[in-house]
Amino acid sequence: MPKVNILKNYRSWRGIHRLIICITTLATLVCLATFFKAYSFRSFLVSDTSCNYRDFIPRVTNEGEVKETIEIIIQKIQQELDQTRDSPHESVPKAKHASVLADVLGLVELVKDSLSFQTPQENAPLVPLSSSQESSEYFLIEEIRKYIRIKPNRLGKQNFMGANGTFTSIGHACFSMKKELEEYMDYDIGDICNDDWKLAQKLMIHGCDPLPRRRCFSKAPQFYTKPLPINESLWSLPNDKNIRWSQYRCKNFTCLVRNTTQKGFFKCADCFNLKEHEYPRWIKPFYQDPNSNLTADFLISDVLDVKPGEIRIGLDFSVGSGTFAARMREHNVTIVSATINLGAPFSEIIALRGLIPLYLTINQRLPFFDNTLDLIHTTRFLDGWIDLVLLDFVLYDWDRVLRPGGILWIDSFFCLKEDLDDYLKVFGILRYRKHRWIVVPKLDKNDEASQAI
């Protein structure tokens, strides 16, 4: 009889021992899984030139599942503890088992509390770290990978903007232009950047916009001179030494003024002829046909008289050298000129004239807050080439940044006569009041009938 009891006690002890081993192993595996979800294996291998903490990227994609699993483990361990403590025949092994289970329970609860501490506060945006990690793994150049990865706040708390990390982004088309983007991001940190603005502009135009930031110094003209004072710079060509000409057909402003090259900036072939072509613009009417009195040009004074004293700040979204902004400056109106360098240094000359260039493609949302601008002007840019849906997106974004009562000045919009009604419908969707609206016939370079608005 005593031998039978000993065997029963041994079997009972062995069963409990196996249960403890299984539960302890499971808890250990959960702890390890949680640890490796908190820190990617790659973070221990890749170092940064400035701070190693940048590559420690917590991954909390399955945090909910981990918590649920830990809850189940806690419940099972708690049940085993209760059954052991309530047993009428206490023995030393059972007490030890209860102590072990209590220790395991404490460790698991510690992991749970740690996960809860890492969870953002209520109503705070969750960091989709795994998607950022997967995106960064698509590229081979390490600078792109480091840029794309989300940067968690060092203190593990929300910052003053209410986010628990810094989210960096690139245009979705960058993934289809992997080769070009990796070429753009292939540089030595802290060194001089390649003279590759043309590659950057190609990326932007094809939808890889915004581009990632870079940790290199941009090239500057080798013999840069001081710009002219503002009372001279508005209507004088700047010094040729202040431009990097390596990516342009012309190598000086004299070449641009002579217009010896017909390609690259045909929409604004005379933009650099400041004295003869640019100076009279918007202060004198330009008649396309000298025999008729038809012109699509409005004068700045006429437009400002529509809202006297109300036009103070605005945007010129055009292909040009900043002449519109220069003219408006004479009327105490501040204009930001948005353009890209289509075969000529448009951005550079705008800045050298003492005006504000905004290097922006048509693909990008305007970097202005809602209802803030008094005026938006565009010329030589929105023409009959533009898709109607794209035009719709552009016009709605312009409406977003225009304040109530602001003015949209669509200057010299050319399209085929048969397309005019389609474009007028798109413009009509805005339901703006028409202060001035003129449609005149025009012959384009191929002598095809067009309409100018």
Side-chain angles (χ1 to χ4, degrees), residues 113-130:
D113 293 340
S114 177
L115 284 175
S116 299
F117 177 77
Q118 292 179 2
T119 304
Q121 299 178 8
E122 188 176 359
N123 298 328
L126 293 177
V127 182
L129 296 169
S130 62

Side-chain angles (χ1 to χ4, degrees), residues 53-239:
Y53 79 88
R54 295 177 184 233
D55 287 312
F56 283 77
I57 307 297
R59 302 185 65 180
V60 292
T61 309
N62 298 322
E63 182 178 322
E65 297 178 4
V66 174
K67 281 188 175 182
E68 184 178 350
T69 305
I70 293 177
E71 289 284 358
I72 296 173
I73 295 174
I74 292 175
Q75 292 177 6
K76 290 186 176 181
I77 295 177
Q78 191 66 54
Q79 291 175 1
E80 185 64 26
L81 276 173
D82 294 340
Q83 292 176 2
T84 303
R85 288 169 179 166
D86 295 341
S87 175
H89 304 288
E90 282 204 45
S91 61
V92 175
K94 288 184 179 180
K96 289 183 178 180
H97 298 160
S99 176
V100 172
L101 289 174
D103 291 340
V104 173
L105 179 61
L107 290 173
V108 175
E109 287 180 338
L110 183 62
V111 174
K112 178 188 174 185
D113 293 340
S114 177
L115 284 175
S116 299
F117 177 77
Q118 292 179 2
T119 304
Q121 299 178 8
E122 188 176 359
N123 298 328
L126 293 177
V127 182
L129 296 169
S130 62
S131 60
S132 172
Q133 192 82 353
E134 293 170 3
S135 299
S136 65
E137 296 300 328
Y138 178 75
F139 297 99
L140 300 178
I141 299 298
E142 189 59 29
E143 275 294 272
I144 306 179
R145 301 159 78 102
K146 289 177 180 176
Y147 179 82
I148 295 177
R149 290 194 188 109
I150 296 175
K151 318 300 185 299
N153 298 338
R154 297 191 65 180
L155 300 179
K157 300 179 181 179
Q158 294 183 35
N159 57 25
F160 66 96
M161 296 179 290
N164 58 344
T166 301
F167 302 78
T168 50
S169 64
I170 58 176
H172 73 282
C174 294
F175 291 89
S176 62
M177 304 182 72
K178 179 180 179 182
K179 179 181 177 182
E180 290 84 357
L181 183 63
E182 289 184 336
E183 179 184 350
Y184 175 72
M185 294 296 289
D186 189 10
Y187 58 86
D188 295 327
I189 298 175
D191 205 346
I192 302 297
C193 302
N194 296 325
D195 189 7
D196 55 2
W197 70 262
K198 201 168 184 178
L199 172 62
Q201 182 169 282
K202 177 182 178 181
L203 288 164
M204 293 167 60
I205 292 175
H206 288 84
C208 186
D209 192 11
L211 282 174
R213 289 175 171 170
R214 300 199 295 185
R215 295 189 288 181
C216 59
F217 297 102
S218 62
K219 277 184 173 293
Q222 187 175 3
F223 304 104
Y224 191 88
T225 62
K226 292 182 179 180
L228 297 173
I230 191 64
N231 60 335
E232 300 178 26
S233 63
L234 286 180
W235 301 107
S236 300
L237 286 174
N239 194 317

Side-chain angles (χ1 to χ4, degrees), residues 280 282-287 295 297 299:
W282 297 292
I283 60 172
K284 295 181 180 180
F286 172 74
Y287 297 102
T295 177
D297 291 343
L299 305 184

